[in-house]
Amino acid sequence: MHSSAKFSAAAVAAALALTTLTACGGDSSASGGENGKVKIMVGGLDKVIYMPAMLTQRLGYFKAEGLQVQLLTEPAGVQATTSLIAGDVQGVVGFYDHTLDLQVKGKQVESVVQLAQAPGEVEVVSNKAADEMTSPKDFKGKKLGVTGLGSSTDFLTKYLAVDSGVKTSEFTPVAVGAGQTFISALKQGSIQGGMTTDPTVAQIVDQKIGKVLIDMRTPEGSKQALGGLYPSSSLYMNTDWANGHKDTVQKMANAFVKTLKWMSTHSAEDIAAKMPSDYAQGGAKLYVEAIKSTLPMFTKDGVMPADGPATVERVLKAFNPNLKNATVDLKKTYTTEFVKKAG
């Protein structure tokens, strides 16, 4: 899958490593991890569901572990996955469900830190369509916003539909991203509802353009909508890369677990104060509310909840033709090796 240019860069890096001339030339995108340099693609850095990535950076925990972490952002998790497979980044902060999808496509990727045990997603409906859309049964014939086609919001929307007897062919998913692009699609009526996260949810409710239809920001909400805990936000990596760079991965796990502990002992106000001020687009007060609403989804220790992977598999198999008849080896989709040591 590598282009020849990418391949030769990797070969040069390998040669440099052999001659120990790694002063500045050894950090090829295909390898990474040298000198503690790691590139992480986040499926939307300013989304509260992925907050631990930037928060770890802001708390100085990566640096304390001797890591130089570069955080990059892609508005939809599906593009983040593409970057990982291409070897442009060493890790993704995105939804765990992609690891199952990828395994069936022949790519071995694993969650190394499980940041969340509920999706943190909310199905909102525009005020204009609120009377005709009171449950997923009413998705039929509607245009529903998702971050990107093939993203986790797309997966979960399809599941909610199928679980309520609506075929995936009976509604139209529309890729509208998150934040302002989602909000304007809802305002203009190019979507009647859609799935998004905080801080977008808080802004929609505050601006009185829509309301919450299904709330999966808490473990209880996840169980109600999906029949169990749904591990979502995670740090996932190519399994081969993780196995070849255990020292670096352990440092990453140490940093993230420290952040999760910090989050569990601090208020939404404390957390908001640490984040970049431009993340609070709807104003500081609203941003604190958004964090408060979403905090229950996070784990305190980065450990995968025992029954979580099976719920994700059941949800994906309900609508995903790739997965329906495939055997997924769930044990290969995550590891607790690093977080257990970090704790």
Side-chain angles (χ1 to χ4, degrees):
M1 241 176 81
H2 288 297
S3 65
S4 54
K6 176 83 52 71
F7 183 77
S8 61
V12 169
L16 279 173
L18 285 175
T19 52
T20 66
L21 296 172
T22 49
C24 49
D27 188 35
S28 131
S29 64
S31 63
E34 320 317 326
N35 310 330
K37 281 186 184 161
V38 184
K39 281 186 190 162
I40 302 284
M41 184 65 85
V42 184
L45 256 178
D46 56 352
K47 292 180 187 172
V48 180
I49 56 167
Y50 298 141
M51 189 169 63
M54 181 53 80
L55 189 55
T56 306
Q57 189 85 286
R58 305 282 285 201
L59 290 168
Y61 292 162
F62 290 135
K63 217 179 206 157
E65 291 288 335
L67 296 168
Q68 282 175 274
V69 174
Q70 189 185 354
L71 296 174
L72 306 160
T73 187
E74 268 290 0
V78 63
Q79 283 109 323
T81 305
T82 311
S83 304
L84 182 73
I85 298 301
D88 299 334
V89 296
Q90 287 76 54
V92 169
V93 170
F95 265 40
Y96 160 72
D97 52 22
H98 290 294
T99 66
L100 281 74
D101 197 43
L102 288 165
Q103 190 186 101
V104 170
K105 292 171 181 163
K107 307 272 178 235
Q108 204 44 64
V109 170
E110 62 184 17
S111 161
V112 294
V113 183
Q114 196 53 47
L115 303 169
Q117 54 186 345
E121 299 284 351
V122 174
E123 183 70 28
V124 296
V125 57
S126 76
N127 284 346
K128 289 177 210 148
D131 290 344
E132 61 198 69
M133 202 156 91
T134 57
S135 84
K137 285 190 176 72
D138 305 322
F139 283 2
K140 214 175 188 167
K142 302 290 190 294
K143 292 194 177 103
L144 301 173
V146 296
T147 45
L149 302 178
S151 67
S152 299
T153 47
D154 190 20
F155 288 169
L156 287 170
T157 305
K158 287 190 163 91
Y159 175 76
L160 292 174
V162 169
D163 192 48
S164 293
V166 178
K167 293 193 185 81
T168 55
S169 58
E170 292 179 318
F171 68 94
T172 312
V174 185
V176 291
Q180 294 315 307
T181 50
F182 187 103
I183 290 169
S184 59
L186 202 62
K187 270 185 185 161
Q188 289 158 10
S190 49
I191 55 172
Q192 282 85 53
M195 196 173 287
T196 191
T197 59
D198 274 312
T200 311
V201 180
Q203 286 169 270
I204 288 165
V205 174
D206 183 64
Q207 292 174 31
K208 298 185 171 47
I209 50 174
K211 53 188 186 193
V212 172
L213 187 65
I214 294 160
D215 193 340
M216 295 179 281
R217 289 176 290 192
T218 64
E220 299 72 42
S222 174
K223 285 174 185 164
Q224 210 175 333
L226 307 170
L229 289 178
Y230 193 92
S232 59
S233 312
S234 62
L235 169 65
Y236 62 82
M237 294 176 147
N238 287 313
T239 304
D240 285 347
W241 195 90
N243 289 339
H245 300 80
K246 287 201 170 188
D247 187 42
T248 303
V249 180
Q250 187 59 60
K251 288 172 178 173
M252 294 289 299
N254 294 348
F256 271 111
V257 170
K258 245 189 242 174
T259 300
L260 290 167
K261 285 211 167 82
W262 189 91
M263 283 165 59
S264 72
T265 55
H266 286 75
S267 68
E269 285 81 2
D270 292 340
I271 296 168
K274 289 280 178 200
M275 299 298 282
S277 55
D278 60 338
Y279 284 16
Q281 279 185 357
K285 189 168 165 282
L286 204 58
Y287 186 54
V288 169
E289 282 305 308
I291 292 174
K292 203 173 275 175
S293 304
T294 304
L295 269 179
M297 72 181 273
F298 294 105
T299 67
K300 292 180 175 67
D301 53 11
V303 176
M304 174 66 79
D307 54 350
T311 304
V312 173
E313 183 183 27
R314 179 176 51 73
V315 166
L316 293 181
K317 283 194 172 203
F319 65 84
N320 189 327
N322 298 333
L323 274 130
K324 210 164 240 164
N325 304 309
T327 311
V328 182
D329 187 345
L330 289 175
K331 284 193 186 68
K332 287 185 175 167
T333 60
Y334 69 97
T335 176
T336 56
E337 176 192 342
F338 302 102
V339 287
K340 290 265 167 82
K341 282 185 199 152

